[in-house]
Amino acid sequence: MEGAIEFYKEGWSREVIRKAFNKTIETGEPFELDLIIVTHTKKEKWVRAIGQAEYVDGKVVRVYGTFQDIHSRKIAQLKWEEEQNKFKYAIQGTNLGTWEWDIESGATIFSERWAEILGYKLSELEPIDFQTWVDLMDPDDLKVANSKLKSCFEGESEFYDCEFRMTHKDGSKKWIHARGKVITWTENGAPKLMFGTHQDINHSKTKVQEQAILISQAPLAIAMFDREMRYLAVSSKWLLDYNLGDRSVIGKYHYNIFPEIDNFWKEIHKECLGGASRSSKEDKFIRKDGTIQWLKWEVKPWYEETGAIGGVIMYTEDLTEHKLVAEKLNISLDAFQRNFENAGIGMAIVSQEGKWLNVNDKICQMLGYEKDEFRGLTFQELTHSDDLATDLEYLKDIVAGKRQTYQIEKRYIHKQGYEVSAILAVSVVRDSKNTILYFISQLIDISAVKHAENQVSKLLKMTQKQNERLRNFAHIVSHNLRSHSSGMNMLLELLEFEHPDLFKMEIMTLLKKGAVNLTGTIEHLTEIVNINLNESAKKERVDLTKIISKTIESVYPIAQKEAVELICEVPPETFVVGISAYVESIVLNFITNGIKYKSPERDSYLKILVEPHEDDTIGLRFEDNGLGIDLEKNGESLFGMYKTFHRHKDSRGIGLFITKNQIESIGGSVEVESQEGVGTTFSVFLQKE
């Protein structure tokens, strides 16, 4: 026996087997032990030794039993026990309550700590089953918890994770964070056994609620999220900045509220939930409706009392309005700078003391100085001495706030010493406190204009004198020639009366005809002169409808004889501004022309109508279907003196010339549209009354 015992490992195993064997011999008590032996090859092995006593006459005479190799099973058992101990100690270290739930039967196993969290001893809650948990749950939160359980049972989520309130023994509500997982399933795929924990988060939840109250009242855009990016708190400024109105977002996922959030932001949230802090002074955010929002933002984690990250806090500042203003300002400044540099007029920025702060190239060209030279000068030094006082007086009014701008004509002194005439426009730029920053001066070089004005003035005086001489000459010619012409006609008539035989001679006939033509020419010239002399005559209100009706009435017999239909579509009470006699002459000439130059190939008509025209004028139209005019051939000479385009016994080529002069003398104009063999339309534009 001593040799057998030596196979057991020295120490605990050998001592235990020795005591058990001796006790069996002494008392007959059997033994069954799991011990370690050392084999012949020096390996340790777990074995099970079972021993029993054999009696003779009430005395132990022999010990017999079995010896079994249990090494593999024992090692597995020890490992399992080790893991169980680790789990037990871990649970104890986290101060969590544990629960097991047989879903089919409803049986539950709660740890003592589970009951302790709610102020009970486990024995006080017996009999314990699933209904125990239901009875202690807040009714409103029970719906949420059941929804989470259902999601877990249906495989939508691997873990059960939920926060809810349970009733404490003292009647108060305690916030509990429950986590769990289905660990076994039935053959049909139904949940069978579930294990989980309860954690007391009442204190941290209270702290979060206190923070939520502070955040909701914050004047900034702040939101607080849990680890799943669900809203825990939000400020009113956040709701305002993101156009959420009175929308309830607490408990909702941030990505559901803003589905347009891209992976860039999601990665930032993920990093911050891992402990990082991120921020940006300016970022572009494209909303779902396509609008752009510029944000200054910061995201960082918030911590529970245990030191664990509870979620993130996000702060944002909407910079959109500032950004748009800044962009507009940059565009405006850029546009101003480009306009300043490339302006076709001189531009300068001048200090309140009169120093040139900046000038463009045009001013350099005007006054002959380089840009660097301007910086050492003032506008006073370059202003003509006779014009300086006026300029300074206006500038004084601007400084005093009596005016914001002024414009004057003044002279500058070129670098080479000669005068430069310019129109100067000055405006002031002030800051938000109404302090003058600088003046903007614009200079238009009018030296050439001034020179031209002087030349024009001289020419105008000369022209006025010449016109006066021509006017007098026209009077003399029209009067004296008419007298001489009339005298010649009278002498020829006397000569013909006394010596009729002389007029049988061809030369005398031609002489008489020439005298008659000369008289007609003089009358035409006299009429044209009178028209030009009457250009300054006072114009009056002329009843156009009445004149047209009167004219049609007077020429009606002629029109009827020539088989020309006269159609008048001029509305009643149509008035124009002009000279009544000229308007009558204009209307008469165009109506008689329409009759005179009718087409023998078709039924003829002349239509008269009016229509509104631009610039407050009336278009008086004379449309006929007569012979028409080849405008490509004759257009330039149409209104020329003594120009005729058809063979007609009454054609003199003076009517259109006189009519055009009459129209223009009363401030009107005339246009023509014509096609040979189709007809002609004359449009006369007269000023509306």
Side-chain angles (χ1 to χ4, degrees), residues 288-301:
K288 186 178 180 180
D289 59 4
T291 58
I292 295 176
Q293 203 169 17
W294 288 91
L295 299 175
K296 175 184 179 182
W297 57 268
E298 182 178 0
V299 183
K300 58 184 180 181

Side-chain angles (χ1 to χ4, degrees), residues 117-173:
I117 290 173
L118 300 176
Y120 294 96
K121 291 183 179 179
L122 201 57
S123 58
E124 294 179 87
L125 297 174
E126 292 179 349
I128 297 173
D129 56 14
F130 180 72
Q131 191 61 39
T132 305
W133 174 75
V134 172
D135 293 340
L136 293 171
M137 280 286 292
D138 181 275
D140 293 333
D141 295 346
L142 181 60
K143 298 176 184 178
V144 178
N146 283 334
S147 176
K148 293 288 184 74
L149 284 172
K150 181 181 178 183
S151 176
C152 193
F153 291 166
E154 293 176 353
E156 295 177 3
S157 58
E158 184 179 359
F159 297 96
Y160 167 66
D161 192 323
C162 188
E163 292 180 358
F164 46 74
R165 290 162 294 179
M166 297 186 73
T167 305
H168 193 271
K169 185 178 180 180
D170 62 10
S172 63
K173 299 290 184 179

Side-chain angles (χ1 to χ4, degrees), residues 36-53:
I36 299 174
I37 65 170
V38 179
T39 67
H40 180 68
T41 57
K42 304 302 181 183
K43 291 183 179 179
E44 295 184 356
K45 183 177 290 188
W46 280 92
V47 296
R48 177 163 291 173
I50 300 174
Q52 293 188 8

Side-chain angles (χ1 to χ4, degrees), residues 299-516:
V299 183
K300 58 184 180 181
W302 62 269
Y303 295 88
E304 298 174 346
E305 288 187 333
T306 60
I309 294 175
V312 296
I313 291 179
M314 190 182 304
Y315 154 78
T316 65
E317 183 180 351
D318 190 348
L319 304 177
T320 306
E321 186 175 348
H322 299 292
K323 185 71 176 178
L324 292 175
V325 171
E327 285 184 353
K328 288 180 181 178
L329 179 60
N330 289 335
I331 292 171
S332 178
L333 290 175
D334 185 56
F336 173 79
Q337 187 62 32
R338 287 199 304 270
N339 290 334
F340 183 88
E341 293 295 340
N342 303 313
I345 62 173
M347 293 191 70
I349 296 176
V350 183
S351 72
Q352 191 170 349
E353 295 75 29
K355 288 189 173 295
W356 305 88
L357 302 177
N358 194 8
V359 295
N360 67 353
D361 293 339
K362 192 67 177 179
I363 283 189
C364 295
Q365 295 171 13
M366 286 174 59
L367 301 182
Y369 292 92
E370 298 294 331
K371 285 189 176 182
D372 292 339
E373 293 179 292
F374 271 99
R375 294 190 178 94
L377 299 170
T378 63
F379 79 85
Q380 293 94 327
E381 296 175 74
L382 302 183
T383 300
H384 192 286
S385 57
D386 293 343
D387 298 341
L388 182 58
T390 303
D391 197 355
L392 292 176
E393 191 65 30
Y394 279 111
L395 196 63
K396 184 179 178 182
D397 287 347
I398 285 187
V399 173
K402 296 179 180 179
R403 60 170 67 234
Q404 292 298 314
T405 63
Y406 70 88
Q407 180 175 307
I408 60 171
E409 184 179 313
K410 62 178 285 189
R411 289 164 293 176
Y412 290 88
I413 306 300
H414 193 274
K415 185 178 181 180
Q416 295 179 1
Y418 60 82
E419 294 179 5
V420 177
S421 295
I423 292 176
L424 169 67
V426 178
S427 57
V428 64
V429 178
R430 301 175 184 268
D431 62 14
S432 57
K433 297 180 180 179
N434 208 35
T435 302
I436 294 177
L437 298 177
Y438 51 83
F439 300 99
I440 297 177
S441 297
Q442 300 179 61
L443 280 73
I444 301 175
D445 187 350
I446 59 169
S447 299
V449 175
K450 295 296 287 185
H451 178 72
E453 282 181 359
N454 293 333
Q455 294 298 317
V456 169
S457 179
K458 292 177 182 178
L459 288 173
L460 183 60
K461 290 178 181 178
M462 185 183 299
T463 302
Q464 286 174 341
K465 291 179 180 178
Q466 290 177 346
N467 283 344
E468 190 62 33
R469 294 189 190 113
L470 287 172
R471 189 187 298 268
N472 293 332
F473 175 75
H475 277 295
I476 293 169
V477 169
S478 62
H479 181 270
N480 293 350
L481 284 180
R482 181 186 291 176
S483 299
H484 293 309
S485 173
S486 299
M488 286 175 63
N489 283 319
M490 192 176 353
L491 289 173
L492 286 170
E493 287 176 2
L494 288 172
L495 182 62
E496 185 179 12
F497 179 76
E498 293 179 359
H499 304 282
D501 293 339
L502 290 175
F503 285 85
K504 293 178 180 178
M505 300 173 60
E506 183 179 0
I507 189 168
M508 293 303 292
T509 303
L510 292 175
L511 180 62
K512 181 180 178 181
K513 187 176 181 180
V516 171

Side-chain angles (χ1 to χ4, degrees), residues 219-250:
L220 305 175
I222 304 176
M224 185 177 185
F225 304 89
D226 63 14
R227 289 192 59 81
E228 295 180 2
M229 293 304 294
R230 291 174 299 193
Y231 280 89
L232 298 176
V234 62
S235 69
S236 56
K237 188 69 167 63
W238 180 282
L239 298 174
L240 178 65
D241 282 358
Y242 295 104
N243 298 319
L244 297 175
D246 296 331
R247 187 174 174 184
S248 177
V249 297
I250 304 304

